[in-house]
Amino acid sequence: MLYFYSSYRSTESVRINHALHLVAPDHLLYQQPSIVKGRTDVVTVTPWLAPIVWEKTFNPELLDSIYRQQNISVVATVFAVGKYVMFLKDFLETAEQHFFVGFRVHIYVFTDRPDEMPQVEMATNRAVTVRTVPSSNRWQTISARRMEFIQTLIEEKLQGSTDYIFCLDVDSKFHGHWGTESLSGLVAVIHPGYYRDPRSKFPYERRAQSSAYIAVGEGDFYYCGGAFGGSLDEVYLLVKTCRLNFEADAAEGIEATWQEESHLNRYMWINKPSKVLSPEYLWQDFNPRRQEIRIIRFSGVDKNYADIRPNN
Ligand code: 5GW
Ligand code: MN
């Protein structure tokens, strides 16, 4: 994936990794980047020098022109088990309006109720595929098995055909642009509920017996389980690792505090994300709007837990 010969050196056999090598079209006109003016109300780079993506830190036209030349394909996975199918219509319709518009996008819906799939019209080069999964009354199982199903999907369908993948919660809607600015090797989203808190308050797994353990005094950010992604290879490694750790814990009779979100946070602590997305990329409708949040791109809808969760 992503490897081909540079057009400038067509006589040489130089293999280029386009995840790192960004070619912009010649003569593209765009606003001069400033080295002294920019966002000062938020931090836009991590201590390991990964960008933190906020509105007004990037030029979408420039980025699109770079990734258009690579003809990238993007997959999104989403789970809708049990009553969560009710969220699919808004999720898919708003993805059509905001998620990688103009690029090749394939959304894989995992559901136990394929008959209840909403009919959503997709633009050219965009598709939805349904994968049937077993029902479960135990929500922890639904949550836990997401990593496993994504791993299998990558092995069976995506390897060799997909460049980037994002794994998203279904109980959410797009409200603003989510596009090529989010692309990188390993991509994590900062959780909207904790981004102003000291790390001691993050709800990491604190029991040392769990493979998701993060000690007090450790950890960078608290990341969302409801949105993560990156290149297919990186996400494959992530889901495989989190699944193995989850299952190793289960064999010991331990389940991490926030299930796969805890394992994801452990993974990202060790394997630093190469790009971090600000809470613009997964807000919560019930959160009060804050000044540094200039746009909400994707947000969890308020839900009535009693209505939608199993065994209620
Ligand atoms: C059911 C009961 C408790 C927790 C989760 C579920 C559940 C989750 C479910 O019955 N069906 C289902 O498809 N899910 C998937 O897991 C959805 O994609 C959902 O977005 C994701 C995470 O669960 P959420 O969204 O309820 O978790 P929070 O932390 O965003 O509220
Ligand atoms: Mn959710």
Side-chain angles (χ1 to χ4, degrees):
M1 57 161 286
L2 284 178
Y3 291 94
F4 61 91
Y5 300 103
S6 159
S7 52
Y8 298 132
R9 298 163 183 261
S10 51
T11 52
E12 290 175 37
S13 313
V14 181
R15 296 231 292 178
I16 303 259
N17 181 347
H18 275 259
L20 303 169
H21 188 105
L22 307 180
V23 180
D26 199 8
H27 304 306
L28 179 76
L29 295 179
Y30 59 91
Q31 199 182 9
Q32 179 187 350
S34 174
I35 195 69
V36 289
K37 284 203 192 113
R39 294 274 310 243
T40 53
D41 57 335
V42 289
V43 173
T44 60
V45 67
T46 68
W48 58 96
L49 297 178
I52 307 176
V53 183
W54 293 90
E55 179 67 350
K56 298 280 183 247
T57 62
F58 60 89
N59 181 327
E61 290 77 36
L62 171 59
L63 282 162
D64 280 2
S65 74
I66 292 170
Y67 287 99
R68 179 103 43 227
Q69 303 205 130
Q70 297 182 22
N71 191 26
I72 54 161
S73 65
V74 180
V75 156
T77 62
V78 74
F79 286 75
V81 176
K83 292 180 188 159
Y84 278 61
V85 287
M86 73 164 66
F87 297 113
L88 274 172
K89 188 166 192 292
D90 281 353
F91 176 92
L92 293 169
E93 281 178 358
T94 59
E96 276 298 281
Q97 291 159 18
H98 300 292
F99 186 72
F100 285 94
V101 175
F103 288 86
R104 293 193 285 142
V105 170
H106 200 140
I107 300 181
Y108 285 88
V109 175
F110 294 81
T111 184
D112 58 337
R113 300 184 181 184
D115 298 344
E116 291 177 41
M117 268 296 292
Q119 287 305 311
V120 175
E121 207 173 312
M122 305 292 288
T124 322
N125 287 328
R126 298 172 73 95
V128 176
T129 296
V130 180
R131 308 252 299 182
T132 306
V133 295
S135 310
S136 177
N137 277 331
R138 222 183 141 258
W139 61 269
Q140 293 90 339
T141 311
I142 299 167
S143 167
R145 294 197 68 189
R146 282 201 279 177
M147 296 293 188
E148 174 194 336
F149 286 120
I150 296 166
Q151 181 188 340
T152 311
L153 173 73
I154 294 176
E155 287 167 355
E156 288 179 359
K157 288 269 176 230
L158 306 186
Q159 257 155 4
S161 68
T162 301
D163 297 318
Y164 295 96
I165 177 169
F166 288 92
C167 309
L168 305 171
D169 263 18
V170 73
D171 60 334
S172 352
K173 278 190 223 180
F174 293 89
H175 301 277
H177 172 92
W178 180 326
T180 49
E181 76 286 354
S182 66
L183 296 177
S184 192
L186 181 61
V187 182
V189 181
I190 295 181
H191 196 294
Y194 302 93
Y195 73 96
R196 290 163 155 265
D197 291 340
R199 50 157 69 119
S200 60
K201 286 204 185 152
F202 293 164
Y204 291 144
E205 174 54 59
R206 299 298 191 184
R207 293 166 295 176
Q209 312 93 283
S210 168
S211 57
Y213 174 60
I214 298 181
V216 172
E218 296 181 343
D220 298 306
F221 305 105
Y222 192 74
Y223 301 112
C224 291
F228 59 89
S231 70
L232 199 73
D233 293 346
E234 287 283 350
V235 173
Y236 183 60
L237 200 57
L238 180 157
V239 295
K240 237 165 67 168
T241 308
C242 289
R243 178 194 174 184
L244 280 173
N245 289 339
F246 199 102
E247 288 172 0
D249 274 17
E252 301 285 318
I254 188 161
E255 182 172 276
T257 327
W258 288 104
Q259 295 81 35
E260 89 281 43
E261 184 170 84
S262 306
H263 289 277
L264 181 89
N265 271 279
R266 167 75 199 179
Y267 187 88
M268 297 284 184
W269 162 238
I270 303 299
N271 308 275
K272 302 297 191 207
S274 55
K275 189 171 274 183
V276 173
L277 306 181
S278 70
E280 297 164 1
Y281 288 82
L282 185 39
W283 199 245
Q284 282 294 339
D285 284 356
F286 58 74
N287 279 2
R289 185 71 175 261
R290 287 187 174 274
Q291 212 174 10
E292 63 270 20
I293 306 296
R294 301 201 185 162
I295 177 176
I296 292 172
R297 305 173 190 280
F298 187 59
S299 181
V301 302
D302 290 339
K303 53 190 192 282
N304 181 348
Y305 287 87
D307 283 350
I308 51 155
R309 289 191 166 171
N311 294 332
N312 280 305

